Amino acid sequence: MSSRTYSGLFIAEGSSDQPLAEHIQLLFYERGVELMLSSPEFERLSSKVTKDVESRIAAGLALNHDPVDLIVVHRDADNAGYQTRLHEITAAYAATSSQAALIPVIPVRMTEAWLLLDETAIRQVAGNPRGRVNLGLPKVHEVESISDPKARLAECILRAADETGRRRDGVKARFNEHRRQLLARLEPSGPLSRLESWRRLTHAVDQVVKGWK
């Protein structure tokens, strides 16, 4: 284990993406590095922070006060594609003149694609772990090609719950909560490890660790 604890700033695309920070910390821990990621509380600022990456990084650094060793930026590829998001993040990072290392986290197309790989977890968060309804989950090699993973995940959770009427409506209304629970239960050593977007993340972690040792 490293002789010091490194500090990092986690810039998530949305508030429900915060559980990703713990998974990234674990990736570092598995490589012998202690990392503590903090998420900026933008609401503490007197003026509203716009959603562009540069503004969010700059505001996060300002809120943190002390310099950090690492900046992690999470941004879905969406329809723009991986390379466009990578350029967006690296350009925004360069504009801040920060000396911290950078790790882009870019799920393809959306973070929800990563959540479609664990049938057991989906059935559990849906409240029907022993259900037998076919969820219609995609294969690993298909998941990053789905045009709308968010809608697909919402549909799979509803199927897993296997409810009707008001109870079905209740499950549908709790989608954001269920999504956050699934993100917290993400299993990096499972099928997720076969996705190119996750491999890029682990490679980036390896490069940062190599530079710190």
Side-chain angles (χ1 to χ4, degrees), residues 77-143:
D78 294 321
N79 292 326
Y82 172 80
Q83 290 298 333
T84 297
R85 289 298 186 228
L86 180 61
H87 179 267
E88 177 186 350
I89 292 171
T90 54
Y93 162 79
T96 65
S97 300
S98 173
Q99 299 302 306
L102 172 69
I103 289 184
V105 182
I106 310 174
V108 178
R109 303 183 179 226
M110 302 174 187
T111 306
E112 285 81 4
W114 290 358
L115 309 180
L116 283 165
L117 298 174
D118 193 335
E119 179 177 348
T120 299
I122 291 173
R123 292 190 187 279
Q124 287 174 342
V125 302
N128 188 19
R130 297 183 180 180
R132 292 291 181 266
V133 174
N134 187 332
L135 305 187
L137 294 174
K139 303 293 185 183
V140 177
H141 69 276
E142 300 172 332
V143 75

Side-chain angles (χ1 to χ4, degrees), residues 62-202:
L63 281 165
N64 204 68
H65 299 302
D66 296 325
V68 294
D69 301 300
L70 176 68
I71 298 172
V72 180
V73 180
H74 164 246
R75 185 88 162 90
D76 284 348
D78 294 321
N79 292 326
Y82 172 80
Q83 290 298 333
T84 297
R85 289 298 186 228
L86 180 61
H87 179 267
E88 177 186 350
I89 292 171
T90 54
Y93 162 79
T96 65
S97 300
S98 173
Q99 299 302 306
L102 172 69
I103 289 184
V105 182
I106 310 174
V108 178
R109 303 183 179 226
M110 302 174 187
T111 306
E112 285 81 4
W114 290 358
L115 309 180
L116 283 165
L117 298 174
D118 193 335
E119 179 177 348
T120 299
I122 291 173
R123 292 190 187 279
Q124 287 174 342
V125 302
N128 188 19
R130 297 183 180 180
R132 292 291 181 266
V133 174
N134 187 332
L135 305 187
L137 294 174
K139 303 293 185 183
V140 177
H141 69 276
E142 300 172 332
V143 75
E144 292 187 309
S145 300
I146 298 172
S147 60
D148 192 346
K150 184 175 182 178
R152 184 72 168 270
L153 180 62
E155 177 186 346
C156 289
I157 292 173
L158 283 175
R159 286 184 182 179
D162 196 21
E163 297 283 10
T164 58
R166 290 184 178 179
R167 289 188 176 181
R168 178 182 173 85
D169 292 341
V171 173
K172 189 173 182 179
R174 294 194 299 275
F175 174 74
N176 287 338
E177 176 188 340
H178 293 149
R179 179 191 182 279
R180 188 182 182 99
Q181 290 174 4
L182 286 171
L183 197 53
R185 299 182 188 203
L186 205 62
E187 182 47 71
S189 62
L192 180 65
S193 64
R194 294 160 57 188
L195 296 185
E196 183 63 27
S197 55
W198 186 261
R199 289 177 177 175
R200 288 183 180 127
L201 169 57
T202 57

